[in-house]
């Protein structure tokens, strides 16, 4: 039996891939591949809990759920040729501990193929701050950001062997058909000769605009201290409303780091970038010019890591920030609501999406008017 292990990294299309694998479970099983997620459609991210990883979910009994998933994988894997496990939080984990855990649950690791997708540092930072601010009002300062991708890539390569480890760049321009699902499928059919797998495309998680992100951070600052660092129903509902508004096109500007932030991150991650490029024998990551120094005053993020995220962003519409900030905190902000609808322009589908998002806010965040 071959074990197919997708270990992440986070923010590299894992949700879309896992969704595709989940809806294809019966198809995969008929092809001799097991993708077992348990009775509650949990993917394998909870497995990391058993290795000291913690999620921001408020769900109880996460360790118990993780054990149940591994027990189900071990039991059902006896009837197939190959087993697929996908958990984005395993990449930055000691691979020996991961493999030992799987063996403890009688999951065969004798023949194993591991794939990891990674983002270049500035792209990863931009994605991570969006994820951080969904469950916090704090974000990591650019000058502190250094993700040890090189060290863990080396550990995984040594643990399973160079021929069984594949490190790929999560960049739409480099993925097969611009999709992680197509790319993973092509890789799987390559390592398992004759597999003939064809997975369906799925949508990736949507993104908020820069203006929505700033207004979300402001709102998070007003939530009780005891839920700091955790997802919360109110902020979750606001994020969902933003996603509704953006269905037919993002309302505002895409989250983009300003030049000074990019320079700071590239300088901080110079060693990581060089070692990754040496490992894969190509220019995966951009490497900063060591003579370059950030040209922008970064005091806004030097003071403390709870500063306004707008300090690290480029091209922000401050008027739109104020509109979003009012709309998500005051149901009576009728003027701001009207202005937000007008921002959608002449595009009827965009206008309809904004109206649906506002309706969702009414139903999920505010007390219904007639209650």
């Amino acid at each position: 039996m071959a074990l197919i292990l997708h270990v992440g990294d986070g923010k590299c299309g894992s949700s879309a891939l896992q969704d595709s694998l989940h809806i294809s479970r019966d198809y995969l099983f008929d092809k001799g591949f097991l993708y077992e997620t348990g009775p509650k459609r949990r993917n394998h991210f909870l497995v990391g809990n058993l290795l000291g990883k913690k999620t921001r979910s408020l769900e109880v009994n996460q360790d118990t759920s993780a054990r149940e998933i591994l027990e189900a994988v071990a039991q059902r894997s006896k009837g197939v040729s190959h087993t697929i496990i996908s958990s984005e939080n395993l990449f930055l984990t000691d691979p020996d501990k991961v493999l030992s855990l799987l063996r403890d649950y009688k999951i065969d690791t004798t023949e194993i193929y591991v794939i990891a997708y990674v983002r270049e540092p500035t792209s990863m930072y931009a994605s991570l701050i969006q994820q951080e601010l969904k469950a916090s009002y704090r974000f990591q300062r650019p000058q502190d950001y250094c993700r040890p991708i090189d060290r863990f890539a080396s550990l995984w390569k040594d643990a399973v062997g160079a021929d069984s480890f594949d490190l790929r760049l999560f960049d739409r321009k480099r993925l097969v058909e611009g999709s992680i699902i197509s790319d993973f499928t092509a890789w799987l059919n390559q390592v398992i000769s004759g597999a003939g797998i064809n997975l369906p495309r799925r949508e990736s998680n949507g993104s908020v605009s820069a203006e929505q992100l700033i207004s979300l951070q402001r709102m998070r600052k007003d939530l009780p201290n005891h839920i700091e660092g955790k997802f919360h129903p109110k902020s979750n509902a606001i994020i969902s409303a933003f996603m509704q508004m953006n269905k037919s096109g993002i309302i505002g500007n895409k989250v983009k780091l300003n030049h000074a932030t990019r320079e700071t991150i590239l300088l901080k991650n110079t060693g990581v970038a060089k070692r990754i490029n040496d490992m894969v024998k190509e220019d995966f990551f951009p490497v900063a010019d060591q003579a370059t120094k950030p040209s922008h005053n970064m005091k806004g993020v030097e003071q403390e890591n709870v500063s306004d995220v707008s300090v690290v962003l480029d091209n922000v519409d401050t008027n739109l920030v104020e509109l979003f900030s009012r709309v998500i905190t005051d149901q009576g902000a009728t003027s701001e609501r009207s202005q937000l609808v007008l921002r959608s322009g002449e595009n009827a589908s965009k206008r309809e999406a904004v109206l649906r998002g506002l309706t969702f806010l009414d139903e999920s965040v505010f007390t219904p008017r007639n209650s």
Side-chain angles (χ1 to χ4, degrees), residues 245 320 324 327 336-344 354:
M245 294 180 188
L320 187 55
F324 278 126
V327 163
E336 288 81 359
R337 284 174 168 238
S338 297
Q339 291 179 60
L340 194 57
V341 173
L342 289 174
R343 285 289 191 128
S344 60
V354 171

Side-chain angles (χ1 to χ4, degrees), residues 117-187:
Y117 291 89
V118 294
R119 286 179 182 257
E120 60 90 4
T122 61
S123 173
M124 188 63 169
Y125 179 78
S127 187
L128 280 176
I129 60 173
Q130 294 178 66
Q131 187 67 16
E132 286 175 338
L133 293 176
K134 290 178 180 179
S136 176
Y137 64 90
R138 297 184 173 94
F139 68 98
Q140 188 173 16
R141 302 183 308 172
Q143 57 267 48
D144 295 335
Y145 175 73
C146 186
R147 197 171 181 86
I149 293 171
D150 57 322
R151 181 162 69 88
F152 283 94
S154 180
L155 287 173
W156 277 105
K157 181 179 178 181
D158 292 343
V160 301
D163 292 338
S164 295
F165 177 66
D166 202 338
L167 186 71
R168 298 200 170 199
L169 184 62
F170 185 73
D171 181 338
R172 308 270 178 209
K173 296 178 182 178
R174 299 187 57 142
L175 297 174
V176 173
E177 298 178 356
S179 161
I180 187 174
I181 296 170
S182 298
D183 198 87
F184 176 84
T185 301
W187 171 81

Side-chain angles (χ1 to χ4, degrees), residues 218-253:
R218 290 182 180 181
M219 185 281 301
R220 287 282 320 189
K221 288 181 180 179
D222 294 332
L223 291 178
N225 288 334
H226 72 274
I227 59 92
E228 171 56 23
K230 295 287 186 181
F231 289 116
H232 184 270
K234 182 177 181 180
S235 56
N236 288 348
I238 289 171
I239 293 165
S240 295
F242 285 158
M243 296 300 185
Q244 288 272 7
M245 294 180 188
N246 296 341
K247 279 287 188 181
S248 295
I250 196 165
I251 307 299
N253 297 289

